[in-house]
Amino acid sequence: MIQIFTDGASSGNPGPGGFGVILRKGTHYKEISGGFRKTTNNRMELLAVIIGLEALKNLDQEVTVFTDSKYIIDAVEKRWLDGWIRKGFAGKKNKDLWMRFYSIYRQHRVRFVWIKGHAGHPENERCDAMAVQASKDKAKWEIDSVFEAEQVK
């Protein structure tokens, strides 16, 4: 089984943000992080899960995603996402990321486990540190073009 640990961070909402991901399977371990000049915490939390799932090399993997984001867990487990999709995401934020998430999520057998943020869980703390670091590294910031375009409207 593959374990994916995720976290996102944003200083300001919107503001600079970052994500951190740890993938672990047996003795294999990989860290991924990235930062954006203007985004939100929810976008970074969701993007972390997406990046983790997209990093898997094979389809139909059994995956456990550990996240401190109730936003993501509730959207999936309470089937909010299904309703948002049926309604074309009318009035919902982050449509671009939710569609990207759904596309990769359907390709695996994913189970979510909520972990309390900032409570000393080693992988969650590491993901948070990576997300915060990425959110501050201006030289490596990417542009969250969909989010920034939506802010102009």
Side-chain angles (χ1 to χ4, degrees):
M1 178 197 313
I2 299 168
Q3 296 178 319
I4 300 176
F5 300 87
T6 68
D7 202 11
S10 177
S11 56
N13 244 351
F19 67 86
V21 180
I22 295 172
L23 293 104
R24 186 168 63 199
K25 181 177 183 182
T27 59
H28 298 283
Y29 181 93
K30 182 176 184 176
E31 293 184 350
I32 306 169
S33 63
F36 294 82
R37 69 180 186 184
K38 188 175 182 184
T39 190
T40 66
N41 189 67
N42 280 346
R43 287 184 69 79
M44 293 297 94
E45 295 279 2
L46 183 52
L47 186 59
V49 174
I50 293 166
I51 295 295
L53 291 172
E54 288 178 345
L56 302 179
K57 294 181 179 168
N58 298 308
L59 299 178
D60 197 33
Q61 296 292 306
E62 186 176 338
V63 182
T64 301
V65 175
F66 297 85
T67 179
D68 62 8
S69 174
K70 285 286 195 178
Y71 172 63
I72 297 166
I73 292 173
D74 286 350
V76 173
E77 292 185 352
K78 294 182 178 180
R79 307 193 65 83
W80 298 343
L81 180 56
D82 295 336
W84 298 342
I85 290 168
R86 275 193 308 278
K87 295 176 184 173
F89 290 90
K92 294 296 170 196
K93 295 181 180 179
N94 306 320
K95 173 184 178 179
D96 62 314
L97 292 181
W98 280 114
M99 289 173 51
R100 185 172 161 191
F101 165 81
Y102 188 66
S103 176
I104 192 68
Y105 169 78
R106 294 181 327 187
Q107 297 177 29
H108 299 286
R109 291 170 282 136
V110 181
R111 179 175 77 94
F112 285 94
V113 174
W114 181 77
I115 52 178
K116 184 176 171 79
H118 309 287
H121 187 283
E123 288 86 358
N124 181 258
E125 295 293 339
R126 177 65 185 137
C127 287
D128 181 64
M130 289 189 299
V132 169
Q133 176 62 35
S135 76
K136 294 179 179 180
D137 192 351
K138 292 180 183 181
K140 294 183 182 175
W141 275 349
E142 296 180 52
I143 297 170
D144 188 346
S145 57
V146 172
F147 176 77
E148 289 194 22
E150 288 175 349
Q151 297 301 296
V152 174
K153 293 179 183 177

